Amino acid sequence: MMIRKMPDIFSKPLPEHIAIILDGNGRWAKKRMMPRTFGHRKGAYNLKDIAILCDEIGIKELTVFAFSTENWNRPDEEVNFLMTEPVKEIRKYLDKIKESNIKISFIGRRTKIPKELLQLVLELEEITSDHKGLHLTICLDYGSRYEICEATKIIAEEVNRGKISVEEITPELIEKNLFTKDLKPLDLLIRTSGELRISNFLLWQLGYAELYFTKTLWPDFNKKELYKAISSFQQRERRHGGLKEEKK
Ligand code: IPE
Ligand code: IPE
Ligand code: MG
């Protein structure tokens, strides 16, 4: 059997902020002739493993797309599962989460999710608020267009009340009003499952992020896959519109 080496990711700087579109749970289950919910369960456990791994290797921020503003269009049974199952499951691990180093935040619309899930969201944020390790941001009922629209409303209101002038609207001001205002700039976006699209995720924040697409389905995305994505990122040259840095 051929043993493929894990890519070396520690001789170059790591991305500070990684985002992942967790995609492919349904297809993963279908391949096993199981219901889609089986894939979501496996996907949730995989998120736990990848978050712990990111924390261990020193990634500062991990932002994941867990449920989009468009995912409400799925069959009731699936939406219902996604809104209720994590509450039951995560509650079993609250003590472990509290003892861990990982800080958990949620971004997205908070008005539509069921109250038991909202209660859990608030509890997770509260019990991990002073944690100093990985900052895991879970995008729940999140849509980038919704986020930009909300930021626009806040800014329009400030103009209306005469707090700022139209000329004072800058990219920096818009950024300060996005849900991601406290996060570092996005370095690397990973999408699993082979889809080559963004599906309304972090449209503004992706401006200069490096993109990495893999055919691997989210429940199969493991340590080696993460290292491959990071290693690919480390080989890119980020110019931000400037020129390549000359070696002296
Ligand atoms: C991602 O997996 C999880 C969510 C969007 C909630 P999918 O459920 O989209 O899985 P596929 O893409 O149908 O395989
Ligand atoms: C994007 O995946 C949303 C999440 C991963 C939460 P989808 O499976 O919903 O995206 P599309 O429908 O393939 O674009
Ligand atoms: Mg999908």
Short mmCIF file of all heavy atoms in Angstrom, two decimals, residues 23-24 27 31 191-196 212-218 220-221 225:
data_model
loop_
_atom_site.label_atom_id
_atom_site.label_comp_id
_atom_site.label_asym_id
_atom_site.label_seq_id
_atom_site.Cartn_x
_atom_site.Cartn_y
_atom_site.Cartn_z
N ASP A 23 -20.29 21.46 2.44
CA ASP A 23 -21.28 20.97 1.47
C ASP A 23 -21.06 19.49 1.15
O ASP A 23 -19.93 19.00 1.14
CB ASP A 23 -21.18 21.82 0.19
CG ASP A 23 -22.44 21.71 -0.66
OD1 ASP A 23 -23.46 21.19 -0.17
OD2 ASP A 23 -22.40 22.13 -1.83
N GLY A 24 -22.16 18.82 0.86
CA GLY A 24 -22.08 17.42 0.42
C GLY A 24 -22.62 16.39 1.40
O GLY A 24 -22.50 15.19 1.16
N ARG A 27 -25.30 14.11 -0.36
CA ARG A 27 -24.74 13.14 -1.31
C ARG A 27 -23.94 12.05 -0.59
O ARG A 27 -23.92 10.90 -1.00
CB ARG A 27 -23.86 13.86 -2.34
CG ARG A 27 -24.68 14.51 -3.45
CD ARG A 27 -23.89 15.52 -4.20
NE ARG A 27 -23.83 16.79 -3.47
CZ ARG A 27 -23.05 17.80 -3.80
NH1 ARG A 27 -22.25 17.71 -4.84
NH2 ARG A 27 -23.08 18.92 -3.10
N LYS A 31 -24.95 8.11 -1.12
CA LYS A 31 -24.00 7.07 -1.58
C LYS A 31 -24.07 5.83 -0.70
O LYS A 31 -23.69 4.75 -1.10
CB LYS A 31 -22.56 7.62 -1.49
CG LYS A 31 -22.10 8.26 -2.78
CD LYS A 31 -20.79 9.02 -2.65
CE LYS A 31 -19.58 8.19 -2.24
NZ LYS A 31 -18.35 9.02 -2.16
N ARG A 191 -14.45 25.12 -0.29
CA ARG A 191 -15.79 24.55 -0.50
C ARG A 191 -15.62 23.07 -0.83
O ARG A 191 -14.89 22.71 -1.77
CB ARG A 191 -16.57 25.23 -1.61
CG ARG A 191 -17.99 24.62 -1.71
CD ARG A 191 -18.92 25.34 -2.63
NE ARG A 191 -20.27 24.77 -2.47
CZ ARG A 191 -21.40 25.41 -2.67
NH1 ARG A 191 -21.38 26.67 -3.03
NH2 ARG A 191 -22.57 24.80 -2.51
N THR A 192 -16.31 22.25 -0.09
CA THR A 192 -16.27 20.81 -0.34
C THR A 192 -17.36 20.42 -1.34
O THR A 192 -18.22 21.23 -1.68
CB THR A 192 -16.47 20.02 0.98
OG1 THR A 192 -17.71 20.43 1.56
CG2 THR A 192 -15.34 20.29 1.95
N SER A 193 -17.31 19.21 -1.81
CA SER A 193 -18.35 18.54 -2.60
C SER A 193 -18.33 18.83 -4.10
O SER A 193 -19.20 18.39 -4.83
CB SER A 193 -19.76 18.80 -2.05
OG SER A 193 -20.34 19.93 -2.65
N GLY A 194 -17.33 19.59 -4.57
CA GLY A 194 -17.16 19.75 -6.01
C GLY A 194 -17.95 20.87 -6.65
O GLY A 194 -17.78 21.14 -7.84
N GLU A 195 -18.83 21.53 -5.89
CA GLU A 195 -19.58 22.65 -6.48
C GLU A 195 -18.64 23.86 -6.62
O GLU A 195 -17.92 24.19 -5.68
CB GLU A 195 -20.78 23.06 -5.61
CG GLU A 195 -21.73 21.96 -5.23
CD GLU A 195 -22.40 21.30 -6.43
OE1 GLU A 195 -22.26 21.80 -7.56
OE2 GLU A 195 -23.07 20.28 -6.22
N LEU A 196 -18.70 24.51 -7.79
CA LEU A 196 -17.81 25.65 -8.02
C LEU A 196 -18.59 26.95 -7.93
O LEU A 196 -18.69 27.69 -8.90
CB LEU A 196 -17.12 25.49 -9.39
CG LEU A 196 -16.33 24.20 -9.58
CD1 LEU A 196 -15.72 24.14 -10.97
CD2 LEU A 196 -15.24 24.04 -8.53
N TYR A 212 -10.36 27.60 -2.61
CA TYR A 212 -9.93 26.20 -2.74
C TYR A 212 -11.18 25.31 -2.83
O TYR A 212 -12.00 25.31 -1.92
CB TYR A 212 -9.08 25.80 -1.53
CG TYR A 212 -8.57 24.38 -1.59
CD1 TYR A 212 -7.37 24.06 -2.22
CD2 TYR A 212 -9.29 23.33 -1.01
CE1 TYR A 212 -6.89 22.76 -2.26
CE2 TYR A 212 -8.83 22.03 -1.06
CZ TYR A 212 -7.63 21.76 -1.67
OH TYR A 212 -7.15 20.46 -1.72
N PHE A 213 -11.29 24.61 -3.94
CA PHE A 213 -12.44 23.73 -4.12
C PHE A 213 -11.97 22.28 -4.14
O PHE A 213 -10.95 21.97 -4.77
CB PHE A 213 -13.15 24.04 -5.45
CG PHE A 213 -13.74 25.43 -5.49
CD1 PHE A 213 -13.05 26.48 -6.07
CD2 PHE A 213 -14.99 25.68 -4.94
CE1 PHE A 213 -13.61 27.77 -6.10
CE2 PHE A 213 -15.56 26.95 -4.97
CZ PHE A 213 -14.86 28.00 -5.54
N THR A 214 -12.68 21.43 -3.42
CA THR A 214 -12.34 20.00 -3.44
C THR A 214 -13.60 19.17 -3.70
O THR A 214 -14.70 19.56 -3.26
CB THR A 214 -11.69 19.55 -2.12
OG1 THR A 214 -11.59 18.12 -2.11
CG2 THR A 214 -12.48 19.98 -0.90
N LYS A 215 -13.41 18.05 -4.38
CA LYS A 215 -14.57 17.18 -4.65
C LYS A 215 -14.98 16.39 -3.41
O LYS A 215 -16.07 15.81 -3.38
CB LYS A 215 -14.22 16.21 -5.79
CG LYS A 215 -14.17 16.92 -7.13
CD LYS A 215 -14.25 15.92 -8.27
CE LYS A 215 -14.46 16.69 -9.57
NZ LYS A 215 -13.51 16.35 -10.61
N THR A 216 -14.10 16.33 -2.45
CA THR A 216 -14.40 15.58 -1.22
C THR A 216 -15.68 16.09 -0.58
O THR A 216 -15.87 17.30 -0.45
CB THR A 216 -13.22 15.73 -0.22
OG1 THR A 216 -12.06 15.27 -0.87
CG2 THR A 216 -13.46 14.96 1.05
N LEU A 217 -16.55 15.17 -0.18
CA LEU A 217 -17.81 15.56 0.47
C LEU A 217 -17.50 15.93 1.93
O LEU A 217 -16.58 15.36 2.53
CB LEU A 217 -18.81 14.40 0.41
CG LEU A 217 -19.12 13.91 -1.03
CD1 LEU A 217 -19.99 12.65 -0.99
CD2 LEU A 217 -19.82 15.00 -1.85
N TRP A 218 -18.24 16.88 2.48
CA TRP A 218 -17.89 17.40 3.81
C TRP A 218 -17.67 16.30 4.87
O TRP A 218 -16.66 16.34 5.58
CB TRP A 218 -18.90 18.45 4.30
CG TRP A 218 -18.64 18.79 5.73
CD1 TRP A 218 -19.41 18.51 6.80
CD2 TRP A 218 -17.45 19.43 6.25
NE1 TRP A 218 -18.80 18.94 7.96
CE2 TRP A 218 -17.60 19.49 7.64
CE3 TRP A 218 -16.26 19.92 5.67
CZ2 TRP A 218 -16.62 20.04 8.48
CZ3 TRP A 218 -15.29 20.47 6.49
CH2 TRP A 218 -15.47 20.53 7.88
N ASP A 220 -16.38 13.57 4.67
CA ASP A 220 -15.08 12.90 4.43
C ASP A 220 -13.90 13.86 4.52
O ASP A 220 -12.76 13.46 4.32
CB ASP A 220 -15.06 12.27 3.02
CG ASP A 220 -16.00 11.09 2.91
OD1 ASP A 220 -16.19 10.37 3.92
OD2 ASP A 220 -16.53 10.87 1.80
N PHE A 221 -14.15 15.12 4.75
CA PHE A 221 -13.07 16.13 4.76
C PHE A 221 -12.31 15.98 6.08
O PHE A 221 -12.82 16.31 7.16
CB PHE A 221 -13.68 17.53 4.63
CG PHE A 221 -12.66 18.62 4.47
CD1 PHE A 221 -12.23 19.01 3.21
CD2 PHE A 221 -12.14 19.28 5.58
CE1 PHE A 221 -11.29 20.04 3.06
CE2 PHE A 221 -11.21 20.29 5.44
CZ PHE A 221 -10.79 20.67 4.17
N GLU A 225 -7.08 16.37 4.15
CA GLU A 225 -7.74 17.31 3.22
C GLU A 225 -7.50 18.75 3.68
O GLU A 225 -7.25 19.63 2.85
CB GLU A 225 -9.25 17.04 3.19
CG GLU A 225 -9.64 15.70 2.61
CD GLU A 225 -9.47 15.65 1.11
OE1 GLU A 225 -9.50 16.71 0.46
OE2 GLU A 225 -9.31 14.54 0.59
#
